[in-house]
């Protein structure tokens, strides 16, 4: 648990080993948590050492996040960890009540693997709705093409993670499914009217407001704020809080993505000023991380409250028979695919 307001940041370490210089930087910067990428991952033993060293650097049980959706967005991979289908592909392999059960099993097993190496937050589920024009960077990361399907799937994903002692981070609020360009490279723009967005893009997130943490979308909604992406828009963040009703810990998507303009400091300051609780910086470049920390400042009282509530949702999971769960999971996939 937190005992003080930390920096309003989540930072990524530069590589697979935390050296003394980087540890000293993290000790001084005091980020709320850390996020890992493929550059940080080699073996289970190495990863356990890294997550332990990151927490030791800040002197507390800081959350350690990763993107372990499955498919292309999966930082822990074979041969040491299981390979998972892209979410939309798995949905196509199951039907009826099997869909939710298969997803719960999948993410309960994901949580087991993450906890074993000291990772206790997964940037999933994706609450975005796949449409006919959704850019390929996102489309097969979605769970479905309508709100009801996405809600049921995202709930099963989140429940599986939470049961395994891993906090879910739902994304990308208030909805990224209409993006026709890749926000890692360009800024998407949505022209749909607000009443249509309420019924579609916003609906999955409105049904999942009890989840502890969430991430914004780098996307412009003309109907809300045509001048700024959601991450940097006070109007959109207010909509997330008041209209959608999410009062959990809200972090920006990665500030190094090219959808955003300005310096890293400008981006961090804009996200915090808009109402995000946490500035997320993933690249692990020291000078840039220093800029983000300086611009983000300390967590506000409201952000610290939300952070405490989120961390309180971490549980020590019950032990599981992984072989039994894996067998059930495989049977559900094969049963539908070959049935």
């Amino acid at each position: 648990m937190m005992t003080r307001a930390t920096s309003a940041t989540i930072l990524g370490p530069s590589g697979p080993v935390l050296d003394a210089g980087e540890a000293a930087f993290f000790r001084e910067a005091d980020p709320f948590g850390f996020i890992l990428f493929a550059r940080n991952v080699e073996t289970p033993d190495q990863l356990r050492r890294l997550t332990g060293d990151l927490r030791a650097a800040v002197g507390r049980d800081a959350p350690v996040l990763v993107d372990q959706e499955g498919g292309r967005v999966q930082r822990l991979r074979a041969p040491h960890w299981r390979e998972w289908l892209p979410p939309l592909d798995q949905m196509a392999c199951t039907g009826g009540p099997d869909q939710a059960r298969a997803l719960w099993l999948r993410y309960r097993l994901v949580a087991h693997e993450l906890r074993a190496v000291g990772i206790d937050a997964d940037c999933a589920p994706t609450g975005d709705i796949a449409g006919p024009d959704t850019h390929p960077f996102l489309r097969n990361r979605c769970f479905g093409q309508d709100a009801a399907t996405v809600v049921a799937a995202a709930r099963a994903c989140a429940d599986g993670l939470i049961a395994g002692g891993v906090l879910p981070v739902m994304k990308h609020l208030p909805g990224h499914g209409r993006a026709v360009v890749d926000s890692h490279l360009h800024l998407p723009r949505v022209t749909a009217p607000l009443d249509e967005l309420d019924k579609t893009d916003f609906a999955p997130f409105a049904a999942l407001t009890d989840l502890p943490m969430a991430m914004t979308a780098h996307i412009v909604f003309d109907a809300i704020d045509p001048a700024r992406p959601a991450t940097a828009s006070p109007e959109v963040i207010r909509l997330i809080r008041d209209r959608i009703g999410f009062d959990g810990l809200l972090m920006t998507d990665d500030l190094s993505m090219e959808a955003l303009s300005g310096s890293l400091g400008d981006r961090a300051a804009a996200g915090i000023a808009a109402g995000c609780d946490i500035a997320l910086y993933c690249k692990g470049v020291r000078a840039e991380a220093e800029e983000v920390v300086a611009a983000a400042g300390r967590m506000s009282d409201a952000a610290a409250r939300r952070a405490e509530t989120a961390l309180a949702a971490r549980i020590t999971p019950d032990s599981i028979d992984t072989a039994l769960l894996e067998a059930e999971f495989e049977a559900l996939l094969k049963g539908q695919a070959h049935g």
Side-chain angles (χ1 to χ4, degrees):
M1 296 292 290
M2 295 166 56
T3 58
R4 62 186 186 275
T6 68
S7 166
T9 57
I10 291 172
L11 304 177
S14 60
V17 176
L18 188 67
D19 65 27
E22 192 170 35
F25 164 64
F26 286 143
R27 188 171 302 112
E28 181 178 356
D30 196 24
F32 168 68
F34 301 95
I35 188 165
L36 304 182
F37 280 77
R39 67 176 184 270
N40 308 117
V41 177
E42 291 178 345
T43 67
D45 285 344
Q46 167 268 325
L47 202 46
R48 274 188 289 271
R49 283 193 299 272
L50 177 59
T51 56
D53 289 346
L54 289 169
R55 292 187 170 106
V58 293
R60 56 187 159 78
D61 190 15
V64 179
L65 291 70
V66 76
D67 291 286
Q68 195 74 350
E69 298 175 13
R72 178 169 44 84
V73 182
Q74 178 174 336
R75 313 305 182 198
L76 282 63
R77 310 206 74 113
H80 299 294
W81 296 277
R82 297 171 183 83
E83 292 285 336
W84 303 99
L85 289 170
L88 196 61
D89 293 4
Q90 177 171 319
M91 293 293 285
C93 291
T94 53
D98 287 352
Q99 281 189 330
R101 178 61 180 171
L103 283 168
W104 187 93
L105 290 165
R106 168 188 171 125
Y107 288 101
R108 179 64 184 85
L109 290 165
V110 166
H112 180 75
E113 291 190 328
L114 297 183
R115 284 271 304 195
V117 292
I119 297 170
D120 58 3
D122 188 4
C123 297
T126 297
D128 307 314
I129 298 173
D133 300 317
T134 301
H135 191 278
F137 100 92
L138 180 67
R139 182 175 172 78
N140 71 354
R141 298 165 58 193
C142 301
F143 287 117
Q145 300 180 68
D146 63 85
T149 299
V150 170
V151 168
R155 176 63 70 187
C157 165
D159 286 351
L161 291 171
I162 291 169
V166 171
L167 297 176
V169 182
M170 70 169 169
K171 56 192 185 186
H172 306 81
L173 271 76
H176 214 314
R178 293 178 190 263
V180 298
V181 297
D182 182 351
S183 57
H184 293 86
L185 306 172
H186 306 284
L187 179 60
R189 182 174 292 274
V190 171
T191 59
L194 191 56
D195 59 347
E196 182 180 337
L197 293 168
D198 271 332
K199 297 171 187 174
T200 54
D201 301 53
F202 302 166
F205 301 107
L208 297 162
T209 56
D210 59 302
L211 296 187
M213 298 195 287
M215 182 184 295
T216 64
H218 297 332
I219 187 170
V220 171
F221 291 89
D222 282 348
I224 309 163
D225 184 351
R228 290 169 291 197
T231 299
S233 169
E235 290 81 6
V236 177
I237 304 304
R238 194 175 306 118
L239 176 143
I240 289 169
R241 295 299 193 195
D242 298 340
R243 193 180 187 109
I244 291 176
F246 179 72
D247 190 42
L249 189 71
L250 184 65
M251 66 191 73
T252 71
D253 202 346
D254 181 16
L255 294 174
S256 60
M257 292 165 63
E258 294 307 313
L260 302 180
S261 59
S263 68
L264 268 298
D266 291 340
R267 299 174 188 189
I272 298 298
C276 296
D277 296 314
I278 297 285
L280 175 66
Y281 172 69
C282 298
K283 283 182 71 175
V285 177
R286 176 82 60 83
E288 293 183 348
E290 290 171 350
E291 188 179 353
V292 169
V293 169
R298 310 298 285 182
M299 294 178 71
S300 68
D301 290 345
R305 172 186 61 78
R306 295 183 184 112
E308 287 280 7
T309 301
L311 294 183
R314 293 187 294 192
I315 66 165
T316 300
D318 295 334
S319 60
I320 57 170
D321 184 334
T322 56
L324 193 65
L325 295 190
E326 284 176 333
E328 183 186 356
F329 175 74
E330 293 298 333
L332 289 176
L333 291 191
K334 293 175 182 176
Q336 181 67 21
H338 300 141

PDB file of all heavy atoms in Angstrom, residues 72 133-138 141 176 178-189 218-219 253 257-260:
ATOM      1  N   ARG A  72      -0.384 -10.164 -30.801  1.00  0.00           N
ATOM      2  CA  ARG A  72       0.750  -9.283 -31.068  1.00  0.00           C
ATOM      3  C   ARG A  72       1.171  -8.504 -29.830  1.00  0.00           C
ATOM      4  O   ARG A  72       2.351  -8.196 -29.652  1.00  0.00           O
ATOM      5  CB  ARG A  72       0.371  -8.332 -32.210  1.00  0.00           C
ATOM      6  CG  ARG A  72       1.417  -7.322 -32.589  1.00  0.00           C
ATOM      7  CD  ARG A  72       1.035  -6.624 -33.884  1.00  0.00           C
ATOM      8  NE  ARG A  72      -0.374  -6.246 -33.906  1.00  0.00           N
ATOM      9  CZ  ARG A  72      -0.855  -5.132 -33.362  1.00  0.00           C
ATOM     10  NH1 ARG A  72      -0.055  -4.294 -32.740  1.00  0.00           N
ATOM     11  NH2 ARG A  72      -2.149  -4.860 -33.441  1.00  0.00           N
ATOM     12  N   ASP A 133     -13.979  -0.419 -40.027  1.00  0.00           N
ATOM     13  CA  ASP A 133     -12.828   0.382 -40.435  1.00  0.00           C
ATOM     14  C   ASP A 133     -11.767   0.513 -39.357  1.00  0.00           C
ATOM     15  O   ASP A 133     -10.821   1.295 -39.501  1.00  0.00           O
ATOM     16  CB  ASP A 133     -13.297   1.783 -40.853  1.00  0.00           C
ATOM     17  CG  ASP A 133     -14.284   1.751 -42.012  1.00  0.00           C
ATOM     18  OD1 ASP A 133     -14.034   0.985 -42.960  1.00  0.00           O
ATOM     19  OD2 ASP A 133     -15.300   2.469 -41.950  1.00  0.00           O
ATOM     20  N   THR A 134     -11.908  -0.238 -38.255  1.00  0.00           N
ATOM     21  CA  THR A 134     -10.910  -0.154 -37.188  1.00  0.00           C
ATOM     22  C   THR A 134      -9.535  -0.503 -37.737  1.00  0.00           C
ATOM     23  O   THR A 134      -9.369  -1.503 -38.434  1.00  0.00           O
ATOM     24  CB  THR A 134     -11.263  -1.118 -36.046  1.00  0.00           C
ATOM     25  OG1 THR A 134     -12.560  -0.799 -35.534  1.00  0.00           O
ATOM     26  CG2 THR A 134     -10.251  -1.014 -34.913  1.00  0.00           C
ATOM     27  N   HIS A 135      -8.546   0.318 -37.413  1.00  0.00           N
ATOM     28  CA  HIS A 135      -7.199   0.095 -37.925  1.00  0.00           C
ATOM     29  C   HIS A 135      -6.656  -1.251 -37.440  1.00  0.00           C
ATOM     30  O   HIS A 135      -6.918  -1.663 -36.303  1.00  0.00           O
ATOM     31  CB  HIS A 135      -6.275   1.231 -37.475  1.00  0.00           C
ATOM     32  CG  HIS A 135      -4.956   1.228 -38.173  1.00  0.00           C
ATOM     33  ND1 HIS A 135      -3.911   0.422 -37.776  1.00  0.00           N
ATOM     34  CD2 HIS A 135      -4.517   1.931 -39.249  1.00  0.00           C
ATOM     35  CE1 HIS A 135      -2.872   0.631 -38.582  1.00  0.00           C
ATOM     36  NE2 HIS A 135      -3.210   1.543 -39.487  1.00  0.00           N
ATOM     37  N   PRO A 136      -5.883  -1.950 -38.279  1.00  0.00           N
ATOM     38  CA  PRO A 136      -5.348  -3.262 -37.882  1.00  0.00           C
ATOM     39  C   PRO A 136      -4.496  -3.240 -36.614  1.00  0.00           C
ATOM     40  O   PRO A 136      -4.372  -4.271 -35.953  1.00  0.00           O
ATOM     41  CB  PRO A 136      -4.502  -3.675 -39.098  1.00  0.00           C
ATOM     42  CG  PRO A 136      -5.119  -2.965 -40.257  1.00  0.00           C
ATOM     43  CD  PRO A 136      -5.612  -1.662 -39.718  1.00  0.00           C
ATOM     44  N   PHE A 137      -3.929  -2.085 -36.242  1.00  0.00           N
ATOM     45  CA  PHE A 137      -3.137  -2.047 -35.005  1.00  0.00           C
ATOM     46  C   PHE A 137      -3.999  -2.389 -33.794  1.00  0.00           C
ATOM     47  O   PHE A 137      -3.486  -2.851 -32.769  1.00  0.00           O
ATOM     48  CB  PHE A 137      -2.466  -0.669 -34.831  1.00  0.00           C
ATOM     49  CG  PHE A 137      -3.162   0.266 -33.877  1.00  0.00           C
ATOM     50  CD1 PHE A 137      -2.829   0.308 -32.539  1.00  0.00           C
ATOM     51  CD2 PHE A 137      -4.187   1.104 -34.315  1.00  0.00           C
ATOM     52  CE1 PHE A 137      -3.478   1.162 -31.661  1.00  0.00           C
ATOM     53  CE2 PHE A 137      -4.832   1.966 -33.446  1.00  0.00           C
ATOM     54  CZ  PHE A 137      -4.474   1.990 -32.116  1.00  0.00           C
ATOM     55  N   LEU A 138      -5.305  -2.193 -33.917  1.00  0.00           N
ATOM     56  CA  LEU A 138      -6.210  -2.397 -32.783  1.00  0.00           C
ATOM     57  C   LEU A 138      -7.222  -3.512 -33.008  1.00  0.00           C
ATOM     58  O   LEU A 138      -7.618  -4.176 -32.043  1.00  0.00           O
ATOM     59  CB  LEU A 138      -6.961  -1.088 -32.478  1.00  0.00           C
ATOM     60  CG  LEU A 138      -7.951  -1.128 -31.311  1.00  0.00           C
ATOM     61  CD1 LEU A 138      -7.211  -1.325 -29.980  1.00  0.00           C
ATOM     62  CD2 LEU A 138      -8.775   0.154 -31.262  1.00  0.00           C
ATOM     63  N   ARG A 141      -7.226  -6.908 -31.365  1.00  0.00           N
ATOM     64  CA  ARG A 141      -7.057  -6.783 -29.918  1.00  0.00           C
ATOM     65  C   ARG A 141      -8.397  -6.565 -29.228  1.00  0.00           C
ATOM     66  O   ARG A 141      -8.467  -6.624 -27.990  1.00  0.00           O
ATOM     67  CB  ARG A 141      -6.116  -5.626 -29.609  1.00  0.00           C
ATOM     68  CG  ARG A 141      -4.724  -5.804 -30.171  1.00  0.00           C
ATOM     69  CD  ARG A 141      -3.954  -4.494 -30.155  1.00  0.00           C
ATOM     70  NE  ARG A 141      -3.858  -3.941 -28.806  1.00  0.00           N
ATOM     71  CZ  ARG A 141      -3.469  -2.695 -28.555  1.00  0.00           C
ATOM     72  NH1 ARG A 141      -3.163  -1.872 -29.554  1.00  0.00           N
ATOM     73  NH2 ARG A 141      -3.391  -2.266 -27.316  1.00  0.00           N
ATOM     74  N   HIS A 176     -11.680   3.540 -28.477  1.00  0.00           N
ATOM     75  CA  HIS A 176     -10.677   3.709 -29.532  1.00  0.00           C
ATOM     76  C   HIS A 176     -11.068   2.981 -30.817  1.00  0.00           C
ATOM     77  O   HIS A 176     -10.332   3.001 -31.804  1.00  0.00           O
ATOM     78  CB  HIS A 176      -9.328   3.172 -29.028  1.00  0.00           C
ATOM     79  CG  HIS A 176      -8.125   3.900 -29.525  1.00  0.00           C
ATOM     80  ND1 HIS A 176      -7.947   4.261 -30.837  1.00  0.00           N
ATOM     81  CD2 HIS A 176      -7.020   4.338 -28.875  1.00  0.00           C
ATOM     82  CE1 HIS A 176      -6.787   4.881 -30.980  1.00  0.00           C
ATOM     83  NE2 HIS A 176      -6.205   4.947 -29.793  1.00  0.00           N
ATOM     84  N   ARG A 178     -13.110   3.377 -33.238  1.00  0.00           N
ATOM     85  CA  ARG A 178     -13.346   4.076 -34.502  1.00  0.00           C
ATOM     86  C   ARG A 178     -12.069   4.626 -35.131  1.00  0.00           C
ATOM     87  O   ARG A 178     -12.130   5.280 -36.187  1.00  0.00           O
ATOM     88  CB  ARG A 178     -14.345   5.219 -34.285  1.00  0.00           C
ATOM     89  CG  ARG A 178     -15.743   4.742 -33.936  1.00  0.00           C
ATOM     90  CD  ARG A 178     -16.678   5.907 -33.682  1.00  0.00           C
ATOM     91  NE  ARG A 178     -17.937   5.465 -33.122  1.00  0.00           N
ATOM     92  CZ  ARG A 178     -19.047   5.244 -33.839  1.00  0.00           C
ATOM     93  NH1 ARG A 178     -19.042   5.454 -35.140  1.00  0.00           N
ATOM     94  NH2 ARG A 178     -20.153   4.827 -33.252  1.00  0.00           N
ATOM     95  N   ALA A 179     -10.927   4.365 -34.513  1.00  0.00           N
ATOM     96  CA  ALA A 179      -9.667   4.865 -35.065  1.00  0.00           C
ATOM     97  C   ALA A 179      -9.348   4.159 -36.381  1.00  0.00           C
ATOM     98  O   ALA A 179      -9.279   2.930 -36.424  1.00  0.00           O
ATOM     99  CB  ALA A 179      -8.537   4.647 -34.067  1.00  0.00           C
ATOM    100  N   VAL A 180      -9.140   4.932 -37.416  1.00  0.00           N
ATOM    101  CA  VAL A 180      -8.793   4.365 -38.727  1.00  0.00           C
ATOM    102  C   VAL A 180      -7.318   4.573 -39.039  1.00  0.00           C
ATOM    103  O   VAL A 180      -6.843   4.172 -40.105  1.00  0.00           O
ATOM    104  CB  VAL A 180      -9.679   4.949 -39.844  1.00  0.00           C
ATOM    105  CG1 VAL A 180     -11.142   4.594 -39.606  1.00  0.00           C
ATOM    106  CG2 VAL A 180      -9.504   6.459 -39.973  1.00  0.00           C
ATOM    107  N   VAL A 181      -6.583   5.203 -38.104  1.00  0.00           N
ATOM    108  CA  VAL A 181      -5.127   5.301 -38.219  1.00  0.00           C
ATOM    109  C   VAL A 181      -4.527   4.803 -36.909  1.00  0.00           C
ATOM    110  O   VAL A 181      -5.197   4.721 -35.886  1.00  0.00           O
ATOM    111  CB  VAL A 181      -4.652   6.744 -38.516  1.00  0.00           C
ATOM    112  CG1 VAL A 181      -5.180   7.202 -39.865  1.00  0.00           C
ATOM    113  CG2 VAL A 181      -5.069   7.712 -37.415  1.00  0.00           C
ATOM    114  N   ASP A 182      -3.251   4.460 -36.942  1.00  0.00           N
ATOM    115  CA  ASP A 182      -2.536   3.939 -35.787  1.00  0.00           C
ATOM    116  C   ASP A 182      -2.065   5.105 -34.925  1.00  0.00           C
ATOM    117  O   ASP A 182      -1.250   5.925 -35.363  1.00  0.00           O
ATOM    118  CB  ASP A 182      -1.337   3.120 -36.277  1.00  0.00           C
ATOM    119  CG  ASP A 182      -0.535   2.479 -35.152  1.00  0.00           C
ATOM    120  OD1 ASP A 182      -0.790   2.797 -33.978  1.00  0.00           O
ATOM    121  OD2 ASP A 182       0.343   1.654 -35.465  1.00  0.00           O
ATOM    122  N   SER A 183      -2.572   5.187 -33.685  1.00  0.00           N
ATOM    123  CA  SER A 183      -2.229   6.318 -32.826  1.00  0.00           C
ATOM    124  C   SER A 183      -0.782   6.272 -32.329  1.00  0.00           C
ATOM    125  O   SER A 183      -0.315   7.228 -31.716  1.00  0.00           O
ATOM    126  CB  SER A 183      -3.193   6.405 -31.636  1.00  0.00           C
ATOM    127  OG  SER A 183      -3.183   5.204 -30.892  1.00  0.00           O
ATOM    128  N   HIS A 184      -0.075   5.173 -32.601  1.00  0.00           N
ATOM    129  CA  HIS A 184       1.365   5.186 -32.345  1.00  0.00           C
ATOM    130  C   HIS A 184       2.069   6.130 -33.319  1.00  0.00           C
ATOM    131  O   HIS A 184       3.179   6.594 -33.052  1.00  0.00           O
ATOM    132  CB  HIS A 184       1.954   3.783 -32.488  1.00  0.00           C
ATOM    133  CG  HIS A 184       1.492   2.831 -31.434  1.00  0.00           C
ATOM    134  ND1 HIS A 184       0.327   2.112 -31.550  1.00  0.00           N
ATOM    135  CD2 HIS A 184       2.041   2.488 -30.233  1.00  0.00           C
ATOM    136  CE1 HIS A 184       0.175   1.360 -30.470  1.00  0.00           C
ATOM    137  NE2 HIS A 184       1.200   1.572 -29.660  1.00  0.00           N
ATOM    138  N   LEU A 185       1.407   6.395 -34.460  1.00  0.00           N
ATOM    139  CA  LEU A 185       2.025   7.184 -35.527  1.00  0.00           C
ATOM    140  C   LEU A 185       1.254   8.440 -35.887  1.00  0.00           C
ATOM    141  O   LEU A 185       1.849   9.434 -36.322  1.00  0.00           O
ATOM    142  CB  LEU A 185       2.176   6.311 -36.790  1.00  0.00           C
ATOM    143  CG  LEU A 185       2.926   4.983 -36.602  1.00  0.00           C
ATOM    144  CD1 LEU A 185       2.826   4.144 -37.869  1.00  0.00           C
ATOM    145  CD2 LEU A 185       4.378   5.250 -36.230  1.00  0.00           C
ATOM    146  N   HIS A 186      -0.063   8.417 -35.770  1.00  0.00           N
ATOM    147  CA  HIS A 186      -0.909   9.529 -36.209  1.00  0.00           C
ATOM    148  C   HIS A 186      -2.035   9.733 -35.193  1.00  0.00           C
ATOM    149  O   HIS A 186      -2.361   8.833 -34.413  1.00  0.00           O
ATOM    150  CB  HIS A 186      -1.519   9.238 -37.591  1.00  0.00           C
ATOM    151  CG  HIS A 186      -0.504   8.882 -38.631  1.00  0.00           C
ATOM    152  ND1 HIS A 186       0.305   9.812 -39.231  1.00  0.00           N
ATOM    153  CD2 HIS A 186      -0.168   7.681 -39.168  1.00  0.00           C
ATOM    154  CE1 HIS A 186       1.098   9.206 -40.101  1.00  0.00           C
ATOM    155  NE2 HIS A 186       0.837   7.909 -40.081  1.00  0.00           N
ATOM    156  N   LEU A 187      -2.665  10.899 -35.236  1.00  0.00           N
ATOM    157  CA  LEU A 187      -3.769  11.211 -34.329  1.00  0.00           C
ATOM    158  C   LEU A 187      -5.102  10.877 -34.988  1.00  0.00           C
ATOM    159  O   LEU A 187      -5.497  11.518 -35.960  1.00  0.00           O
ATOM    160  CB  LEU A 187      -3.731  12.687 -33.951  1.00  0.00           C
ATOM    161  CG  LEU A 187      -4.841  13.170 -33.011  1.00  0.00           C
ATOM    162  CD1 LEU A 187      -4.798  12.424 -31.690  1.00  0.00           C
ATOM    163  CD2 LEU A 187      -4.725  14.677 -32.782  1.00  0.00           C
ATOM    164  N   PRO A 188      -5.830   9.872 -34.479  1.00  0.00           N
ATOM    165  CA  PRO A 188      -7.139   9.545 -35.040  1.00  0.00           C
ATOM    166  C   PRO A 188      -8.178  10.607 -34.664  1.00  0.00           C
ATOM    167  O   PRO A 188      -8.067  11.267 -33.623  1.00  0.00           O
ATOM    168  CB  PRO A 188      -7.496   8.196 -34.399  1.00  0.00           C
ATOM    169  CG  PRO A 188      -6.245   7.721 -33.730  1.00  0.00           C
ATOM    170  CD  PRO A 188      -5.450   8.937 -33.405  1.00  0.00           C
ATOM    171  N   ARG A 189      -9.198  10.726 -35.498  1.00  0.00           N
ATOM    172  CA  ARG A 189     -10.280  11.687 -35.255  1.00  0.00           C
ATOM    173  C   ARG A 189     -11.611  10.993 -35.477  1.00  0.00           C
ATOM    174  O   ARG A 189     -11.794  10.293 -36.471  1.00  0.00           O
ATOM    175  CB  ARG A 189     -10.135  12.893 -36.195  1.00  0.00           C
ATOM    176  CG  ARG A 189     -11.189  13.971 -35.995  1.00  0.00           C
ATOM    177  CD  ARG A 189     -10.885  15.198 -36.860  1.00  0.00           C
ATOM    178  NE  ARG A 189      -9.693  15.900 -36.411  1.00  0.00           N
ATOM    179  CZ  ARG A 189      -9.680  16.831 -35.470  1.00  0.00           C
ATOM    180  NH1 ARG A 189     -10.812  17.193 -34.859  1.00  0.00           N
ATOM    181  NH2 ARG A 189      -8.555  17.424 -35.125  1.00  0.00           N
ATOM    182  N   HIS A 218      -5.536   8.122 -27.154  1.00  0.00           N
ATOM    183  CA  HIS A 218      -5.016   9.278 -27.891  1.00  0.00           C
ATOM    184  C   HIS A 218      -5.863   9.421 -29.166  1.00  0.00           C
ATOM    185  O   HIS A 218      -5.490   8.954 -30.256  1.00  0.00           O
ATOM    186  CB  HIS A 218      -3.558   9.070 -28.269  1.00  0.00           C
ATOM    187  CG  HIS A 218      -2.615   8.942 -27.109  1.00  0.00           C
ATOM    188  ND1 HIS A 218      -2.850   9.521 -25.885  1.00  0.00           N
ATOM    189  CD2 HIS A 218      -1.417   8.311 -27.004  1.00  0.00           C
ATOM    190  CE1 HIS A 218      -1.833   9.242 -25.075  1.00  0.00           C
ATOM    191  NE2 HIS A 218      -0.963   8.516 -25.730  1.00  0.00           N
ATOM    192  N   ILE A 219      -7.017  10.044 -29.018  1.00  0.00           N
ATOM    193  CA  ILE A 219      -7.950  10.142 -30.132  1.00  0.00           C
ATOM    194  C   ILE A 219      -8.818  11.383 -29.918  1.00  0.00           C
ATOM    195  O   ILE A 219      -9.155  11.715 -28.774  1.00  0.00           O
ATOM    196  CB  ILE A 219      -8.801   8.845 -30.229  1.00  0.00           C
ATOM    197  CG1 ILE A 219      -9.678   8.817 -31.469  1.00  0.00           C
ATOM    198  CG2 ILE A 219      -9.634   8.637 -28.978  1.00  0.00           C
ATOM    199  CD1 ILE A 219     -10.325   7.442 -31.708  1.00  0.00           C
ATOM    200  N   ASP A 253      -2.518   7.002 -21.909  1.00  0.00           N
ATOM    201  CA  ASP A 253      -1.793   6.026 -22.721  1.00  0.00           C
ATOM    202  C   ASP A 253      -0.355   6.535 -22.829  1.00  0.00           C
ATOM    203  O   ASP A 253      -0.019   7.650 -22.401  1.00  0.00           O
ATOM    204  CB  ASP A 253      -2.454   5.878 -24.095  1.00  0.00           C
ATOM    205  CG  ASP A 253      -2.117   4.550 -24.776  1.00  0.00           C
ATOM    206  OD1 ASP A 253      -1.174   3.860 -24.323  1.00  0.00           O
ATOM    207  OD2 ASP A 253      -2.778   4.205 -25.777  1.00  0.00           O
ATOM    208  N   MET A 257       3.837   8.121 -27.734  1.00  0.00           N
ATOM    209  CA  MET A 257       3.181   7.827 -29.008  1.00  0.00           C
ATOM    210  C   MET A 257       3.046   9.096 -29.843  1.00  0.00           C
ATOM    211  O   MET A 257       2.830  10.191 -29.328  1.00  0.00           O
ATOM    212  CB  MET A 257       1.825   7.167 -28.755  1.00  0.00           C
ATOM    213  CG  MET A 257       1.948   5.768 -28.169  1.00  0.00           C
ATOM    214  SD  MET A 257       0.411   5.106 -27.456  1.00  0.00           S
ATOM    215  CE  MET A 257      -0.638   5.036 -28.903  1.00  0.00           C
ATOM    216  N   GLU A 258       3.173   8.921 -31.166  1.00  0.00           N
ATOM    217  CA  GLU A 258       3.261  10.091 -32.042  1.00  0.00           C
ATOM    218  C   GLU A 258       1.915  10.752 -32.330  1.00  0.00           C
ATOM    219  O   GLU A 258       1.866  11.774 -33.024  1.00  0.00           O
ATOM    220  CB  GLU A 258       3.947   9.695 -33.356  1.00  0.00           C
ATOM    221  CG  GLU A 258       5.409   9.297 -33.172  1.00  0.00           C
ATOM    222  CD  GLU A 258       6.207  10.366 -32.428  1.00  0.00           C
ATOM    223  OE1 GLU A 258       6.089  11.561 -32.786  1.00  0.00           O
ATOM    224  OE2 GLU A 258       6.935  10.009 -31.481  1.00  0.00           O
ATOM    225  N   ALA A 259       0.830  10.205 -31.803  1.00  0.00           N
ATOM    226  CA  ALA A 259      -0.456  10.887 -31.918  1.00  0.00           C
ATOM    227  C   ALA A 259      -0.432  12.223 -31.187  1.00  0.00           C
ATOM    228  O   ALA A 259      -1.188  13.146 -31.525  1.00  0.00           O
ATOM    229  CB  ALA A 259      -1.576  10.018 -31.361  1.00  0.00           C
ATOM    230  N   LEU A 260       0.436  12.321 -30.181  1.00  0.00           N
ATOM    231  CA  LEU A 260       0.515  13.531 -29.374  1.00  0.00           C
ATOM    232  C   LEU A 260       1.573  14.473 -29.930  1.00  0.00           C
ATOM    233  O   LEU A 260       2.560  14.040 -30.524  1.00  0.00           O
ATOM    234  CB  LEU A 260       0.849  13.171 -27.925  1.00  0.00           C
ATOM    235  CG  LEU A 260      -0.122  12.212 -27.227  1.00  0.00           C
ATOM    236  CD1 LEU A 260       0.328  11.949 -25.805  1.00  0.00           C
ATOM    237  CD2 LEU A 260      -1.546  12.763 -27.254  1.00  0.00           C
TER     238      LEU A 260
END
